[in-house]
């Protein structure tokens, strides 16, 4: 049941996932993703060869005419020392990039280490312009004055915030400061609150991912809340959920789940909710199964699923569309339950992922572990792919839907 032909994006994400987890072995990552260990090893080896291509091309030229082996070895030793120093610089720089303004943090790193390494070399390694660095340094006095003013304002903001049990946000705190005689812009109050970690009490705004189109054609409900199937490749449910990233950003995940084994047959992730997102997830399921002909695809009434483009994609794949009642999450409960589990186990209580890269890698790892490792209570504590293997007669072939 494991894919035999992997897309280039899958291979690249698998290699990035392995490199992003220094303590993990190839065997562990391969088992997480449900791929052969030697297959993953070959992908990593190929990536290593690509990374070393430039260096290999230079080495292939050999020593210069009239040069000796000793000269070449000396040059290699110098290059090794340069690389080791560059590695040490990047390790030290990493501590500066944990939060705040990334560019300012880079400038500060150069300022703190210029005596040892030199401005030119530091700017080259961490990717900043020397002229920009020198301009930043020349504005240090004005910056210090602004910092002092912000710190004084933060003290007054905290006093108002504490006096109102930590419930006031920027608009109400600004009004309190106005009444106290301090004429200040609300945007500055909000900026200082963010900088100094002062936050009012608020309910998180729910991100709406199901936006119905009243004019779109609707499909009948072909499953009637019966989220079961006698065999794989008969009934699927699809849905879209959001992944909070940073303070304001979102990514969106579209899924296609088999109701026999709860296997995630296809998924797609993007920074938009256009119809292309759900079509990509359907195509991913088609690649996984080989064919979806005769299967039912059950979704909500979101505009993406009621669109003509998605209907045409289903027709091309031989899929029959089914839709839940408008506004009824229970009619698509299996997909909603999957989304809730996904966010609970990936975010683990956090409000959002740090950045898009972390969100994508975390999702990539969890979604493949869900199929290959994570035990499912509805399947007798078996992972979906294991359940399929144990329930299918030999030889393991997928029967089309009746």
């Amino acid at each position: 049941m494991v894919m035999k032909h992997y897309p280039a994006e899958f291979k690249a994400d698998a290699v990035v996932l392995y490199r992003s987890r220094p303590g993990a072995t190839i065997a562990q990552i391969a088992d997480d993703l449900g791929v052969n260990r030697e297959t993953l090893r070959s992908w990593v080896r190929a990536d290593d060869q690509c990374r070393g291509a430039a260096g290999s091309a230079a080495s292939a030229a050999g020593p210069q005419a009239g040069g000796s082996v000793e000269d070449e070895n000396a040059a290699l030793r110098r290059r090794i020392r340069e690389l080791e120093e560059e590695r040490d610089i990047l390790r030290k720089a990493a501590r500066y990039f944990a939060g705040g303004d990334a560019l300012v943090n880079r400038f500060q790193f150069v300022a703190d280490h210029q005596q040892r390494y030199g401005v030119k070399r530091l700017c080259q390694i961490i990717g900043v312009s020397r002229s920009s660095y020198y301009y930043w340094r020349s504005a240090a006095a004005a910056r210090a004055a602004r910092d002092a003013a912000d710190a004084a304002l933060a003290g007054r903001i905290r006093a108002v915030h504490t006096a109102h049990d930590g419930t006031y946000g920027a608009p109400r705190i600004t009004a309190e400061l106005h009444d106290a005689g301090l004429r200040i812009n609300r945007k500055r109050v909000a900026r200082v609150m963010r900088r100094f970690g002062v936050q009012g009490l608020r309910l998180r705004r729910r991100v709406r991912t199901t936006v119905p189109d009243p004019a779109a054609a609707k499909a009948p409900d072909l499953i009637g809340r019966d989220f079961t199937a006698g065999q794989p490749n008969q009934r699927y449910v699809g849905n879209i959920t959001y992944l909070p990233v940073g303070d304001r950003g979102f990514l969106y995940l579209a899924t296609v789940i088999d109701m026999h084994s709860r296997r995630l047959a296809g998924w797609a992730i993007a920074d938009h909710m256009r119809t292309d997102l759900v079509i990509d997830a359907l195509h991913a399921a088609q690649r996984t199964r080989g064919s979806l002909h005769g299967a039912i695809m059950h979704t909500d009434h979101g505009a993406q699923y009621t669109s003509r483009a998605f209907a045409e994609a289903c027709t091309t794949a031989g899929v029959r569309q089914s839709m839940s009642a408008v506004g009824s999450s229970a009619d698509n409960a299996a997909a909603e339950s999957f989304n809730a589990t996904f966010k609970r186990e990936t975010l683990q209580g956090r409000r959002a992922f740090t950045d898009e890269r972390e969100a994508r890698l975390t999702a990539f790892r969890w979604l493949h572990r869900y199929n290959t490792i994570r035990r499912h209570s509805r399947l007798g504590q078996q992972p979906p792919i294991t359940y399929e293997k144990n329930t299918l007669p030999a030889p393991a072939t997928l029967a089309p839907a009746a």
Side-chain angles (χ1 to χ4, degrees):
M1 304 304 295
V2 179
M3 289 186 294
K4 299 300 183 184
H5 302 287
Y6 298 89
E9 295 83 3
F10 179 94
K11 297 178 183 179
D13 284 345
V15 173
V16 172
L17 178 62
Y18 167 71
R19 296 194 188 283
S20 70
R21 298 172 61 82
T25 65
I26 284 183
Q28 290 171 335
I29 300 299
D31 291 344
D32 283 353
L33 301 180
V35 302
N36 183 276
R37 297 178 180 181
E38 288 304 315
T39 298
L40 178 57
R41 196 183 307 278
S42 69
W43 296 344
V44 174
R45 191 180 299 117
D47 185 69
D48 287 338
Q49 291 172 353
C50 290
R51 287 168 175 260
S56 298
S59 300
Q64 297 295 323
S68 65
V69 174
E70 289 79 6
D71 292 339
E72 183 178 6
N73 289 340
L76 289 173
R77 285 193 293 270
R78 285 195 299 273
R79 181 55 182 158
I80 290 172
R81 287 195 296 270
E82 290 175 357
L83 291 174
E84 289 176 343
E85 183 179 71
E86 182 175 331
R87 178 198 61 194
D88 293 339
I89 289 173
L90 290 174
R91 284 179 175 174
K92 293 176 181 178
R95 293 194 292 269
Y96 281 70
F97 305 151
D101 188 312
L103 185 59
V104 170
N105 290 342
R106 290 171 188 263
F107 290 154
Q108 189 61 55
F109 173 75
V110 174
D112 292 345
H113 295 83
Q114 62 172 325
Q115 293 297 329
R116 179 172 179 180
Y117 299 107
V119 172
K120 180 179 180 180
R121 179 154 175 74
L122 290 173
C123 288
Q124 287 175 339
I125 291 175
I126 66 174
V128 297
S129 164
R130 277 188 290 167
S131 61
S132 298
Y133 164 72
Y134 285 124
Y135 177 81
W136 173 83
R137 195 172 67 176
S138 69
R143 194 165 53 249
R146 288 195 300 271
D147 288 346
D150 282 354
L153 177 59
R156 299 191 65 171
I157 289 173
R158 285 198 181 97
V160 175
H161 189 257
T162 301
H164 293 275
D165 300 326
T167 61
Y168 274 14
R172 288 189 174 92
I173 289 178
T174 303
E176 288 283 327
L177 295 176
H178 283 179
D179 287 347
L182 182 62
R183 310 308 299 176
I184 191 167
N185 187 285
R186 181 182 63 81
K187 291 183 178 180
R188 186 185 175 196
V189 173
R191 176 180 62 80
V192 172
M193 289 179 68
R194 286 194 302 271
R195 179 180 178 184
F196 289 89
V198 182
Q199 187 175 39
L201 182 66
R202 61 179 179 178
L203 295 178
R204 183 170 184 145
R205 179 176 61 87
R206 185 178 184 273
V207 177
R208 191 181 184 191
T209 55
T210 302
V211 182
D213 181 358
K218 306 298 190 294
D221 187 347
L222 301 179
I223 69 172
R225 299 190 183 181
D226 179 11
F227 299 108
T228 61
Q231 293 184 18
N233 209 28
Q234 290 185 329
R235 289 181 172 182
Y236 293 92
V237 296
N239 204 351
I240 301 175
T241 190
Y242 68 94
L243 285 67
V245 178
D247 290 334
R248 297 175 180 269
F250 296 95
L251 292 176
Y252 300 93
L253 171 69
T255 54
V256 179
I257 305 170
D258 192 310
M259 287 295 91
H260 170 74
S261 62
R262 296 303 194 269
R263 178 177 181 175
L264 180 64
W267 59 277
I269 190 169
D271 58 357
H272 62 80
M273 288 196 299
R274 296 189 294 271
T275 303
D276 291 345
L277 177 65
V278 297
I279 292 177
D280 287 345
L282 181 68
H283 288 166
Q286 195 171 14
R287 290 193 299 269
T288 298
R289 292 307 198 190
S291 173
L292 299 177
H293 185 75
I296 293 173
M297 179 68 178
H298 183 76
T299 66
D300 57 31
H301 281 264
Q304 301 87 347
Y305 293 112
T306 58
S307 67
R308 178 178 298 178
F310 185 72
E312 291 174 352
C314 289
T315 300
T316 301
V319 172
R320 291 183 292 165
Q321 281 190 270
S322 170
M323 292 184 183
S324 59
V326 176
S328 175
S329 61
D331 286 354
N332 203 16
E336 297 285 355
S337 176
F338 175 91
N339 291 340
T341 299
F342 166 75
K343 284 194 280 193
R344 182 175 64 250
E345 295 187 5
T346 53
L347 286 170
Q348 296 185 357
R350 294 183 298 164
R351 295 181 61 84
F353 296 100
T354 303
D355 53 33
E356 181 175 327
R357 181 177 185 273
E358 184 202 13
R360 288 182 179 273
L361 283 178
T362 301
F364 176 73
R365 178 174 183 268
W366 189 93
L367 293 171
H368 285 285
R369 283 177 61 90
Y370 170 86
N371 277 338
T372 60
I373 290 179
R374 185 184 179 279
R375 296 181 183 275
H376 201 298
S377 59
R378 195 178 183 87
L379 307 178
Q381 300 300 339
Q382 297 179 81
I385 288 180
T386 302
Y387 180 80
E388 286 189 355
K389 291 179 178 178
N390 291 339
T391 55
L392 281 177
T397 57
L398 290 179

